[in-house]
Amino acid sequence: MALSLGLTLYNLSNRREQGSAPDRPMRPQGRLVWLHAPGGESLRALQRLAASLWEEDGVIVLLTSPDGTSLPDRPGLIRQAPPADTPADARAFLAHWAPELALFAEGEIRPALLAEAAQRKLPMMIVGGRQPQFLRDRDGWYPGLMRSLLPLFRHILTVDEPAARAFRKAGAPPSQVEITGRMEEDSAALPCLEAERAALARTLGTRPVWLAASLPEMEETSIIAAHRAALRMAHRLLLIVVPQDPARAEPLARRLEAEEGWSVALRAAEQEPEPESEVYIADAAEFGLWYRLAPITYLGGTLLGQGCVRDPLEPAALGSAILYGPRPGPYGTTFGRLGAARAARAVTSGADLGEALGDLLSPDRTARLAQAAWTVASDGAEVTERILALVRRVMDGED
């Protein structure tokens, strides 16, 4: 009765959210598993899981997520937006894709969709569980709804004990909750042309280098001040800047030359960093190259901007030590993991950034941070194997 009353109120309050009929591709023949990532931080883990399901089992994967994160085309992977959480949209979605199993990351609860899936006897699991919560824009009074929905999941695999407690407290049967830890994530290591890297590495030689990645205009003054301070300790230091807005490249070069008297090279003008260059202004198409060349990366947007623009695991996977400010944007959990592992250094101001940069110019300190960051970026393989084993048991009718 609690499910019926709570779900009725939920559906009544969200009738206006009914989506228009989406343009869905034809469902391919064969076995299909549905994976759902509520946000960018769980998306990479589900990409890794999807790759294993296709490569090892030949299972087609439907991967849904609400954000606009671009994914490379991969065999066996279908990318779609999730359906609006209404009974009609849920019915149409499940009828079209007919998955054998559904896995939801983190703990986002979609009541209309879960109710329809339960009616169809679709097995469901939560992986990488952090805490159960309805969609962010669906707050309201739905008596007993969460407590009635959580038992619909066969397994709830959480990242730690606090997360497990949150699910049990919300109504998940204790026997269905298991602490597994975080899943392995798809490699964040961006590619680059090795010949280009080798040529630039020869040009730079033994010069110390740091990178300001996706730098917004409002943070330029802070980066300039930090570089000015660090140059007093390492006069050969080179700053590579990738502006968040490519149109800022030439105005920034003029500012640096006029105000600081620095020698600036522009990648867009096919200039190379000369021995006397203090700043090299690059472009966003080659982040894999810049992370490999710069032992230290400041992630733009985290100090004064709207939050981090680049995934912190990108520099972490390529051995670049990370500096970041108090505004993590959508990557709060990732920065929390890096901070807990002492794999990144937080700064609170432009002056603090300069001090931290100067401290990290010591190669051994940079190496310790970079090694810890790489460890964070590459763990979780055993957890993914545990989830794969459960998926296989469910699909084989053994669970």
Side-chain angles (χ1 to χ4, degrees), residues 250-279:
E250 290 189 15
L252 177 58
R254 290 194 295 270
R255 176 186 177 183
L256 295 172
E257 291 169 342
E259 294 182 8
E260 303 295 327
W262 289 339
S263 174
V264 180
L266 273 167
R267 179 77 165 174
E270 298 187 359
Q271 298 170 351
E272 297 294 330
E274 301 295 335
E276 65 274 10
S277 299
E278 283 96 354
V279 180

Side-chain angles (χ1 to χ4, degrees), residues 93-125:
F93 179 86
L94 293 174
H96 179 84
W97 292 112
E100 290 187 42
L101 175 66
L103 276 71
F104 301 86
E106 298 185 29
E108 181 183 84
I109 303 299
R110 295 172 170 256
L113 185 56
L114 296 183
E116 180 63 27
Q119 288 227 347
R120 294 169 179 265
K121 295 182 170 50
L122 174 66
M124 295 180 287
M125 297 167 51

Side-chain angles (χ1 to χ4, degrees), residues 239-241 243 248-249 252-253 256 264-268 279-283:
L239 165 62
I240 300 175
V241 179
R248 283 296 303 161
L252 177 58
L256 295 172
V264 180
L266 273 167
R267 179 77 165 174
V279 180
Y280 186 39
I281 300 180
D283 58 75

Side-chain angles (χ1 to χ4, degrees), residues 16 47 86 168 178-179 234 249 254 273 295 345:
R16 65 184 182 279
Q47 285 178 247
T86 67
R168 291 193 295 263
E178 178 183 349
I179 303 167
R254 290 194 295 270
R345 181 158 172 175

Side-chain angles (χ1 to χ4, degrees), residues 35 37 40-56 63 69-75 77 79 182-191 311-318 331 334 337 373-381 384:
L35 310 181
E41 290 194 291
S42 56
L43 187 58
R44 179 169 286 124
L46 292 192
Q47 285 178 247
R48 176 65 259 156
L49 183 64
S52 296
L53 283 167
W54 172 252
E55 293 166 6
E56 299 176 22
L63 178 59
T69 306
S70 61
L71 291 178
D73 290 334
R74 293 184 177 183
L77 179 66
R79 176 72 186 275
R182 290 178 175 82
M183 300 167 61
E184 180 184 16
E185 298 181 347
D186 210 32
S187 175
L190 299 178
D311 187 334
L313 293 182
E314 291 176 354
L318 291 170
Y331 297 104
T334 302
R337 290 168 55 196
W374 181 86
T375 300
V376 170
S378 59
D379 64 4
T384 297

Side-chain angles (χ1 to χ4, degrees), residues 14 104-105 112 119 181 185 217 239 291 306 329 347 353 355:
N14 296 301
F104 301 86
Q119 288 227 347
E185 298 181 347
E217 183 177 355
L239 165 62
Y291 291 139
Q306 300 301 309
V347 299
L353 175 61
E355 183 179 335

Side-chain angles (χ1 to χ4, degrees), residues 8 34 37 60 95 103 111 120 153 155 173 186 251 276 296 299 340 354 378:
T8 298
W34 172 29
I60 299 162
L103 276 71
R120 294 169 179 265
F153 294 97
H155 299 278
D186 210 32
E276 65 274 10
I296 304 167
L299 289 167
S378 59

